[in-house]
Amino acid sequence: MRLRLTSLCGYRLLSVGVVVLAACAPQQTSTPVSAPADALTSDDGGNNHPDAAADAPLAPFHPTRIITINAHAAPRILILSLQGEILDGIDIPAEYWKAEQSAMRGIVEDAAGRIHIFVGTFSPFLLSYHQGQWTRSDHYQWGIPNVTFYGHLAAKNNTVFATSGIGVAKGLATFDLSPGGAQSFVSFRNTSDVTLGLDGNIYAISEDDELYVVTDGEAAAVPHYSPLPDLFTLDESLDIYGVWSQISQVHRLSQGGESSSSPQYALFNAKDIDLAPDGLIVLCAETGFAVTNREFEQIYVKELAMSGFCSFGYH
């Protein structure tokens, strides 16, 4: 694979080698904890979310957990320890998935501790959970192609950003969860992934291999590697940590022109990646997840039937 770096520093050609290491840690087992009974609420504007906190801070330095969704017929949010043990399970009410058979896609926890899920494909909705309450938020323009690793979320302060790329809805759908907040849309290109970079900005990758930074409701193209990975996140120096969906291997593409790669993990159909401020990285796939760090020192790989989407949590 050849990578072309387009940056303010000029152009360089880089070669990235692929190292194969099919090393899996022994599977850990534990018993999920039953969640308390849930109160169900719903709205169509995203304005009635519980405990919306104004100007919530960015995530703390150290994550405390990994959040994902299982791959069973009745989906549940799974709360995992950083060691991969299942700490809790929260049943998702059938009214949010059974009738429409909606795919459970991206999942993210915001700074106030609310968990948000990207549900559906052509007419998706945002499903939020906090302290026993569920809230559905629909958007006036939003949708994605039926691609398995599409449908991602990022959260900054009180706003959730969702990828979109169907019809005229190209860019990012946004949900302001502040009291009285409104929905909006950042229009630019079809987006395949979105992330909160460690510099505090929202970034998105488009289908036509462009990287954008989103500020004040506007998207601007930024210099980048080409080709860009399918899934990505950025550190405070704007180095990209990315994954091509068919290869469960993390690539670091630096602004300075250097590159490095993790081993290839024995996981199938990668769909998500997250980077914590302390350097921990989680790569998620349909058959499990791998936890590593910026030096790609393998911490562990765990087999788990899951949606393939996940992120770190901080509460």
Side-chain angles (χ1 to χ4, degrees):
M1 174 168 46
R2 302 286 288 181
L3 296 177
R4 175 173 58 82
L5 171 64
T6 308
S7 75
L8 299 177
C9 304
Y11 300 87
R12 291 184 61 181
L13 288 176
L14 302 173
S15 296
V16 176
V18 176
V19 180
V20 177
L21 176 61
C24 292
Q27 183 172 355
Q28 304 176 15
T29 60
S30 58
T31 303
V33 179
S34 298
D38 296 314
L40 304 180
T41 62
S42 176
D43 75 278
D44 60 359
N47 301 328
N48 298 318
H49 288 255
D51 301 329
D55 299 323
L58 295 176
F61 190 74
H62 297 289
T64 59
R65 57 188 185 171
I66 299 169
I67 55 175
T68 186
I69 299 174
N70 67 4
H72 299 163
R76 312 180 79 210
I77 296 174
L78 297 181
I79 308 297
L80 311 174
S81 72
L82 295 181
Q83 292 73 42
E85 298 175 346
I86 299 177
L87 302 176
D88 201 354
I90 304 169
D91 292 326
I92 299 174
E95 68 178 88
Y96 295 121
W97 57 265
K98 191 172 183 179
E100 303 173 54
Q101 292 295 310
S102 299
M104 298 287 159
R105 298 182 183 268
I107 185 168
V108 68
E109 181 183 78
D110 67 19
R114 298 166 295 200
I115 296 175
H116 308 284
I117 307 170
F118 187 123
V119 184
T121 304
F122 304 116
S123 299
F125 59 90
L126 182 71
L127 183 60
S128 303
Y129 175 83
H130 192 230
Q131 296 181 348
Q133 285 193 325
W134 293 92
T135 306
R136 170 175 172 160
S137 299
D138 295 282
H139 201 286
Y140 63 96
Q141 60 178 68
W142 184 23
I144 58 169
N146 190 18
V147 179
T148 58
F149 60 87
Y150 276 30
H152 290 268
L153 300 174
K156 179 179 179 181
N157 296 333
N158 281 314
T159 302
V160 176
F161 299 81
T163 56
S164 184
I166 190 170
V168 297
K170 300 176 181 179
L172 295 174
T174 67
F175 299 81
D176 183 352
L177 307 185
S178 303
Q183 300 170 355
S184 60
F185 199 89
V186 184
S187 296
F188 50 107
R189 301 287 182 86
N190 291 352
T191 53
S192 57
D193 197 7
V194 61
T195 190
L196 175 63
L198 294 189
D199 65 340
N201 290 315
I202 294 291
Y203 293 88
I205 285 179
S206 68
E207 285 184 334
D208 55 354
D209 203 43
E210 293 291 341
L211 176 66
Y212 292 86
V213 60
V214 178
T215 54
D216 298 325
E218 300 289 337
V222 297
H224 63 86
Y225 278 89
S226 182
L228 289 168
D230 297 323
L231 315 165
F232 82 115
T233 186
L234 291 93
D235 67 13
E236 61 279 347
S237 300
L238 301 188
D239 292 350
I240 293 175
Y241 291 80
V243 179
W244 277 267
S245 64
Q246 298 304 312
I247 303 175
S248 295
Q249 180 180 37
V250 182
H251 300 278
R252 174 181 173 268
L253 313 174
S254 77
Q255 287 291 304
E258 299 81 19
S259 65
S260 57
S261 301
S262 75
Q264 183 172 329
Y265 304 111
L267 299 171
F268 174 74
N269 201 4
K271 292 184 178 180
D272 218 340
I273 183 173
D274 198 11
L275 169 66
D278 65 359
L280 277 183
I281 297 170
V282 58
L283 166 64
C284 295
E286 291 184 353
T287 56
F289 58 96
V291 174
T292 182
N293 55 29
R294 299 194 208 200
E295 291 71 41
F296 299 135
E297 298 166 335
Q298 180 172 316
I299 298 176
Y300 69 88
V301 176
K302 179 173 181 178
E303 296 180 1
L304 179 68
M306 53 192 283
S307 67
F309 296 90
C310 74
S311 63
F312 285 119
Y314 297 84
H315 294 83

